[in-house]
Amino acid sequence: MRQHKKKFYFEKDDYHLEGSLLDLTKGLLKFLSPYKRSFLFALILIFLSSLLAMISARIMGLLVDEGLSQKDFGTSMKWGLVILILEALSLLGLWRGRYSLVKASSNSLLDIRKNVFKDLQFISMSYFDKQPEGRTVTRMTHDIESLEDFFSGSLGRLLNALILFIVSIFAMLLTNLNLGLTLLAGLIPVFILTYFSRTKVRFLNHQISRYNSALNAKLSEYLRGVMTLRIFGWENWSLNHYGKAIEKHKQSFLRANIFYAWNRPLTNFLCTLPIILLFWFGGLKVLNGALELGLFVAFIRYCERFTTPLANVTREIQQIQQSLTSGERILSFLNAKKERETLGEDGHSEPAPKGGISFQNVSMYYTLDQWILKDLNFTIRPGEKIGLVGKTGSGKTTTLNLLGRLYPFQKGTISIWGHDIKSFKRSHLRKNIGFVSQKALFFKGTIKENIFLEVTEFDSKKEIALKQLGLYQWLKEKGLTLDSPILENGSNLSEGEKQFLSISRVLIQNPALLILDEATAHIDIKNEEKIQMALDLIMENKTCLIVAHRLHTLRNCDRIFVFKDGGLIEEGNHEELINKKGEFYHLSHETLKFKG
């Protein structure tokens, strides 16, 4: 049977047109619901403001009919004063309503920001395997900022225009049904244009967002690899690729601007059609004596009340669509699978970390039908030091990831300390596993903050442990203290210093199980001896799993596990495996040839 070898790719970006506006609205309402009273209060005030504006427009007609046309100064002053009061109250109501709306919206947006960052901590690890870093950063920055623009500005103008439009339509129909229907018919062309252009507008905004995300992804990638680019002299190559991404982004903006160049003026013109119809039909009626002049003036005010906000909203349609696109993308991020969905519900067991490790018939895949681990079986006794070797892709790292429950496995059972790993509370399990990798991660802050992290109690045992490790002596030699700063990602530290501090961090946590993944791979020989002494200290009386390509560093391991194609094919101590002349023997000779 012919087999097709599949490859792993990043998932396609989640810019799609399948999501409906109703689904998006429901998703955003979840964040707006805690502030529904404030939103309701704002809507009532905006409605009252619109109602007062319509009453003011009607009284404007009375001012003309009963005051100005009759040359009655007293009546004119009376209605003029009423109009000023109504307009002032309308303006005050609109300001207070918009203020309440913006305040509630800001609180909702704060909740969205918190939820996005919270979900970032619990999203399944497989999400990060398939999504570029820049894409995730875009969700948390550009998309939220776009949604913020909508909440703080466009939403208030949109609601104001909508309420004004509805109230003014009712006012016109109640004042003069025939003329009101005539003016309402004048809005049909703008509604038709908006309806048929909505998909195009949304597509253009999705395209802009997609290329913006791709641009951020490339920028993030090149910033991380700036040293590699400089070393290999790939500056022009990176400029070329980044330039292509910029060009695509620019072209998407140009396409959108070309569309809006004719769409917006046409929409603005169509918004003025009701006023043109009013002057045509209404003017004829006034001349024929079929319509009072004051009523005609009132209708002019009605038209102004809804055509101006409507035109403003149509001009902001790009921003509104962009915000809706950003909202869709944020909800897509929030709906990404969490650990509880891929790993199952969190366990409740917090047993004492005593006992060994057992893998029984464990098989695992990342993608369906591509098994990474195949029927893996082994047992590790408490306190054993186990080396893990094998070529790249043989399954070593995946096996270690399963111990921390970072990924699900589909078959078999894993037991730690005499308990099924699925029964553990994940936070308890992970806090009892110390991990020292070849690349130490540091956050901007002090040495103390990076070493202690969540540890708040600094007892005498931890002080003694750090002294045994030689941390204080190292700080003294470097002229540093625990309060000395570490720059972002430890850029002011050497690789040896990073690794030394990383080991100090693990020592403070005092884990029961220790995993060393090429912990001395990038350390020079002089520092390697010092780091190895530190590692020996923290490995004392602990179960240890050690991944190493320098096979001579595994001589002191109790046993060595040899992986190949997702399976465990050999195990034994260094001497036994060499004498066996199997896979480990060949790996050892390949290493010697490479060194030679």
Side-chain angles (χ1 to χ4, degrees), residues 52 55-60 62-63 74-90:
L52 290 172
I55 295 173
S56 171
R58 183 65 188 94
I59 292 177
M60 183 75 74
L62 296 177
L63 171 64
T75 302
S76 298
M77 287 295 293
K78 179 185 72 174
W79 288 128
L81 183 61
V82 171
I83 290 171
L84 287 175
I85 293 172
L86 289 174
E87 291 291 339
L89 290 174
S90 175

Side-chain angles (χ1 to χ4, degrees), residues 359 361-366 370-378 389-399 402 562-570:
F359 275 56
N361 305 314
V362 175
S363 296
M364 181 265 189
Y365 59 72
Y366 293 111
Q370 275 193 306
W371 294 96
I372 305 301
L373 298 180
K374 306 166 187 175
D375 200 28
L376 198 59
N377 288 276
F378 61 80
V389 300
K391 294 181 179 179
T392 301
S394 60
K396 307 184 300 297
T397 302
T398 300
T399 301
L402 293 187
V562 183
F563 285 78
K564 184 177 182 180
D565 297 329
L568 179 58
I569 61 170
E570 292 177 2

Side-chain angles (χ1 to χ4, degrees), residues 187-235:
L187 290 172
I188 293 176
V190 73
F191 289 148
I192 292 174
L193 177 63
T194 303
Y195 178 80
F196 284 105
S197 62
R198 76 192 193 286
T199 302
K200 180 68 174 178
V201 170
R202 194 177 184 196
F203 170 77
L204 289 171
N205 280 287
H206 273 83
Q207 200 174 56
I208 291 171
S209 299
R210 180 167 66 251
Y211 289 128
N212 180 66
S213 179
L215 200 61
N216 286 336
K218 284 208 173 291
L219 180 60
S220 177
E221 186 179 41
Y222 294 154
L223 283 174
R224 286 199 316 273
V226 65
M227 183 174 290
T228 302
L229 293 173
R230 197 69 58 82
I231 289 172
F232 285 92
W234 289 345
E235 293 89 348

Side-chain angles (χ1 to χ4, degrees), residues 67-79:
L68 298 177
S69 63
Q70 301 297 325
K71 297 182 179 179
D72 187 337
F73 182 75
T75 302
S76 298
M77 287 295 293
K78 179 185 72 174
W79 288 128

Side-chain angles (χ1 to χ4, degrees), residues 94-142:
L94 179 61
W95 170 79
R96 190 64 183 83
R98 291 283 294 275
Y99 174 80
S100 298
L101 187 65
V102 169
K103 186 176 180 181
S105 299
S106 298
N107 288 328
S108 300
L109 192 70
L110 179 61
D111 289 345
I112 291 174
R113 285 186 183 275
K114 288 179 179 178
N115 274 272
V116 167
F117 191 77
K118 178 183 176 183
D119 278 27
L120 186 68
Q121 316 303 315
F122 299 103
I123 285 179
S124 170
M125 290 300 296
S126 58
Y127 173 88
F128 301 102
D129 295 335
K130 299 176 182 179
Q131 296 283 352
E133 179 183 310
R135 190 180 296 174
T136 304
V137 171
T138 300
R139 300 291 176 278
M140 305 185 72
T141 53
H142 174 267

